[in-house]
Amino acid sequence: MSKLNVLMIGPARNVKGGMTTVVDGYYAGGLDKKVNLKYIETVNDKKAISKICKMINGFFQFIFSINKYDIVHIHMASRLSTFRKGIYIRIAKLKKKKVILHIHGAEYKIFYGTECNDWKRKIVRKTFSLADKIIVLSEEWKEYFKELTDENKIIILYNAVKIPNDFKKDLRSKKILFLGRIGDRKGIFDLLEVIKRLAKKYSDIKLYIGGDGEIERLKTAIIDNNLQKHVEYIGWTNGEKKDKYLKNVSYYVLPSYNEGMPMSVLEGMAYKNVTISTNVGGIPKVINNKINGIIINPGDKESLFNAFEELFNNNELRNKLSINARNTIANKFNITNNVNEVIKIYNE
C-alpha cells in the first residue's frame, strides 16, 4: 500500500510555543516515516523583515509543492494566523486537496467574540466551512466551534508527548517548574504571589520559570517581591535543557486562565512531576484531582497555596500523584498513539 502524501503547514520549528511542540512530537512519533510528509514553515518569531521573508518564502514553497500532495494539514491559531492560513485553505480547495485544519489558539473565544467585527466573523466561518476536517484539542473546544461550523467535521484529538525513558524521581525537594509565555493568561504572576507567601515558611522553596513574553515585567516583580533567592528565570527552554529541568524538579505548575490542551502539562506529568493546573480547556481531561494531579480554579491563589502546603507535607500523596501522572500520559497521551490517530483522520 502506497504512503499518503501530506503537506503540513505551520510555524518555523524554532518558534517558541505549543504548536511547534506538537509538530516536533509528530516527528518524534514517526509520522514522517508513516506518510510522505513535507513540512513548510510559514512564519517565524524574528524581526519584521525576517518574518515577512519567511512568510513569502513559505507561501511560494506551498504554491510550488501543492500539486504533489493529496492532503494539506494546516496548523492554525487565532488572530492573524486565522486570516493567513485561510489563504492556504482556499488555494488548497481550488486544487481539490483534502484539508485538515488543526486549531491551537487558546484565546479563540476572545478573538472571535470580541476582537472580530461581523465582516471578519464571516471570513472565519467561511474558512472553517472549506476545511474537510477540523481538529480541536478538547471537548470544550468542540462545543464552542460547533457554533461556528458543521459539527460533523469536528474531531477531538488530544495533544500528546513522547514518553521519556524511565528514571528515578526524587520528590523530596521543593523545586517547582513553570514553562510558558510569561503574562497574565498563564497565571505566572498569581504563582509569584503564592511563592512569596510560601517562602516565608519554606526557606528551601525554588521556582524555575522558563518562557518568553513579558520578561522585564517578570524580573521586576521578582525584585520588587524580594524573591531573588526563591525564583529564577531560566529563559526559553527546549531540548536537553528542558529535559534536565523536568527531571530535576518535583512539581510542575501551570495556573492558566485559558488553554487548549497545554503540551507543558503533558510533559510535566510524563516526567513524573506532581502537577498543579486549572480547570480550563482540555486540562480536566488529563488531570483527575488528587488522583494524578491537582486541579484548581484559575485565579484561586488561596487554593494554590493550600495545594502546595498539603503536598509539601504529604509524602504518600506526592508519590501517588507522580506515579499516576506518568501512567496517565503513557496510556492516554502517548505520541505514538496520537500519530496513529492522525493517520486515521487522513484516511477518513
Side-chain angles (χ1 to χ4, degrees), residues 184-197:
D184 291 323
R185 180 172 75 84
K186 295 282 187 178
I188 183 58
F189 296 102
D190 292 346
L191 180 56
L192 285 183
E193 289 184 37
V194 171
I195 295 297
K196 183 179 180 179
R197 288 180 62 191

Side-chain angles (χ1 to χ4, degrees), residues 272-291:
K272 303 183 184 178
N273 291 296
V274 179
T275 301
I276 306 173
S277 195
T278 48
N279 58 350
V280 298
I283 295 170
K285 296 297 179 183
V286 185
I287 298 179
N288 188 352
N289 192 43
K290 293 204 173 177
I291 301 298

Side-chain angles (χ1 to χ4, degrees), residues 88-100:
Y88 288 89
I89 292 169
R90 284 162 173 79
I91 293 171
K93 293 315 294 180
L94 285 173
K95 295 284 188 177
K96 299 188 179 345
K97 306 299 180 180
K98 183 174 184 177
V99 172
I100 312 296

